[in-house]
Amino acid sequence: MFLGTGGDSNGYRQQCSSSEKRSKRERIRRGSRRSRIRDESRNIHEVEQHRASGQRERPPCTGFDMAYFHSYSHLGIHEEMIKDRVRTETYRAAISQHQNSIAGKVVVDVGCGTGILAIFCALAGAKRVYAVDASDIAVQANEVVKANNLSETVIVLHGRVEDVEIDEEVDVIISEWMGYMLLYESMLGSVISARDRWLKPGGLILPSYATLYMAPVTHSDRYSESIDFWRNVYGIDMSAMLPLAKQCAFEEPCVETITGENVLTWPHVVKYVDCYTITSQELESVNTRFKFKSMMRAPLHGFAFWFDVEFSGPVNKDTASLLNGFSDNCSLDNCQRKKRTNPNEALILSTAPEDPPTHWQQTMIYFYDPIAVEQDQLIEGSVTLSQSKENARFMNIHLEYVCGGRSFVKESVMR
């Protein structure tokens, strides 16, 4: 691969053979980023990959990976993400805030898509930006770079981060790697790979930290719309449809927008991610125990998950230890929540129900039947999030909870 910095230097490298094109379903809901990936992965079987020659062992590129990359060749996904102003403006603000760490430095953009973040970094004065993407959108990203006269600064590399070669260390890694429920898609592994291969000691990673939250929710309107509707359809008793309706509506996680009024308690930290130290092995399975106290009397319809990410430098060990400790305790206290709203603190991109909506929305795990909850009643249990053995980009969710003296188990797959 040619990695020069002249106007015609943008390199391309296809690391896996192209899979056959498959028909697409129409986007049926706002959560198209997930639906594209799920559609592309349908009926894909893993193919054996031979390890590349050389000393460095590279993870295999499977048929599922190829389907994932192909899903991101569609412009609609990138349009949805770019039009998410909360997301895009926060990234641009973070680049501006850290301009002193970017100007004159070498940057790698992991999963560059259309190249917008790489271009933001170039405009902030980066000496060189490697924009890496395994999907065919990299071809259009290269044209965007040329059209903005940035070919001498931004080098588009068409291939997996795990496979492309960069012959120098980098000062900054930037990536929009977060999936629904933070960890869906398993793209953080590519950021870890880039960090371990190229990042200089003391280098900057944007975003730097991420926190996944969960909380019990009530959502009577949603339940009525999907389930109670069948009890009386134009005067006809269709309650025989209820079991099927519950399965169709609530078997899999739902990506949708709720508000703070739906949330019954303070949230619990499921996982705190330090992008400077996290390992791929830690992402294979995440487990936490939770204990909530309902702040109101209401029907409990399920649990909501959301996340936020922070754009800052490495934290000290004491702070990291404190934040990791939240996962082993109950919920965030008021002091920690106030920290998020302090404008003098690090820049935060939040997908919380009380904050402006984003394309990530919130991820809902609904019960088939609501549970009556009294004020101050305890809701406790555990949740395990694990990468699917079928496809590591899918997420298995195992939820156990006790409420009102009754025990429940809910298992689902986010695919």
Side-chain angles (χ1 to χ4, degrees), residues 340-351:
R340 287 184 46 201
T341 59
N342 187 338
N344 296 320
E345 296 289 345
L347 193 61
I348 299 288
L349 169 57
S350 173
T351 67

Side-chain angles (χ1 to χ4, degrees), residues 104-119:
K105 301 298 179 63
V106 179
V107 180
V108 62
D109 179 1
V110 177
C112 68
T114 59
I116 188 169
L117 300 185
I119 291 174

Side-chain angles (χ1 to χ4, degrees), residues 371-402:
I371 302 170
V373 172
E374 300 294 330
Q375 184 174 344
D376 297 328
Q377 184 171 325
L378 293 181
I379 306 163
E380 53 188 318
S382 66
V383 63
T384 300
L385 312 177
S386 58
Q387 295 176 359
S388 169
K389 289 183 171 59
E390 173 197 8
N391 178 358
R393 298 192 185 276
F394 293 167
M395 183 189 297
N396 293 327
I397 304 167
H398 180 85
L399 185 63
E400 298 182 10
Y401 53 101
V402 177

Side-chain angles (χ1 to χ4, degrees), residues 39-204:
D39 292 348
E40 290 295 345
S41 297
R42 192 179 298 274
N43 298 324
I44 293 289
H45 298 284
E46 285 198 34
V47 294
E48 183 179 358
Q49 301 288 327
H50 298 288
R51 289 177 180 168
S53 60
Q55 294 183 348
R56 186 171 64 85
E57 184 176 309
R58 296 167 177 158
C61 183
T62 68
F64 288 118
D65 289 326
M66 287 306 303
Y68 171 74
F69 299 141
H70 188 61
S71 73
Y72 275 88
S73 66
H74 297 280
L75 186 62
I77 287 180
H78 301 281
E79 180 180 352
E80 179 185 39
M81 291 189 289
I82 290 173
K83 285 182 175 179
D84 180 346
R85 296 189 67 86
V86 174
R87 164 199 181 269
T88 306
E89 293 286 7
T90 303
Y91 268 87
R92 182 160 67 171
I95 291 167
S96 176
Q97 187 178 80
H98 293 278
Q99 186 170 5
N100 290 340
S101 299
I102 294 173
K105 301 298 179 63
V106 179
V107 180
V108 62
D109 179 1
V110 177
C112 68
T114 59
I116 188 169
L117 300 185
I119 291 174
F120 285 164
C121 290
L123 296 177
K127 174 185 176 182
R128 187 158 41 256
V129 183
Y130 294 99
V132 186
D133 205 294
S135 80
D136 289 342
I137 199 68
V139 177
Q140 280 73 38
N142 188 53
E143 295 303 312
V144 172
V145 169
K146 289 180 179 179
N148 287 273
N149 299 314
L150 290 171
S151 293
E152 293 189 1
T153 303
V154 180
I155 303 171
V156 180
L157 303 179
H158 188 184
R160 295 195 308 163
V161 165
E162 294 81 0
D163 296 327
V164 301
E165 298 296 337
I166 296 177
D167 297 329
E168 61 180 326
E169 291 185 316
V170 305
D171 303 281
V172 181
I173 294 174
I174 190 167
S175 179
E176 196 275 77
W177 54 265
M178 300 83 71
Y180 298 118
M181 212 168 171
L182 185 64
L183 301 177
Y184 173 68
E185 297 181 11
S186 298
M187 188 181 162
L188 179 54
S190 295
V191 176
I192 294 171
S193 178
R195 180 198 68 196
D196 294 346
R197 294 185 65 191
W198 302 311
L199 187 64
K200 291 180 180 178
L204 178 66

